[in-house]
Amino acid sequence: MTPYSWTWIAIVAAAALAWGIKLAGHSVPESWLENPRIHRIAGYITVAMLAALFAVQGFTTKGQLVLDSRLAAVIVAVVLLWRKAPFWLVVLAAAVTAAVLRAAGLP
């Protein structure tokens, strides 16, 4: 098989897996979903997945841990969020911080 064929096999397998997960979600009894523990765990899983995504996208480059201008942008965003600034201002300030530091030569 060619690498092109393996790509399509992987795409079809991922689609089948996603469909199976959705089907399993609809098959769960309603009484299980109403359990407060399940609600709490689902909230934790969401936060953990978003934190992992943030860590991977914010502090790694090509599989290696990197501390660069993105870290300064995150610090600026955290401080503004702590000070309860509007979200648009948080995003804008973080983007400007990263842009200025990159323009100054920081990676």
Side-chain angles (χ1 to χ4, degrees), residues 69 94-104:
S69 58
V96 167
T97 301
V100 167
L101 290 176
R102 286 185 178 172

Side-chain angles (χ1 to χ4, degrees), residues 28-42:
V28 173
E30 189 77 23
S31 62
W32 291 10
L33 299 175
E34 293 174 356
N35 187 337
R37 179 182 290 175
I38 297 297
H39 282 275
R40 199 170 47 245
I41 290 171

Side-chain angles (χ1 to χ4, degrees), residues 19-71:
W19 182 81
I21 290 172
K22 283 186 176 262
L23 180 65
H26 287 290
S27 303
V28 173
E30 189 77 23
S31 62
W32 291 10
L33 299 175
E34 293 174 356
N35 187 337
R37 179 182 290 175
I38 297 297
H39 282 275
R40 199 170 47 245
I41 290 171
Y44 290 148
I45 289 173
T46 303
V47 170
M49 290 181 70
L50 287 174
L53 178 64
F54 169 74
V56 168
Q57 293 295 318
F59 301 113
T60 62
T61 299
K62 296 179 181 175
Q64 299 211 351
L65 182 64
V66 176
L67 300 177
D68 54 12
S69 58
R70 294 178 290 182
L71 177 62

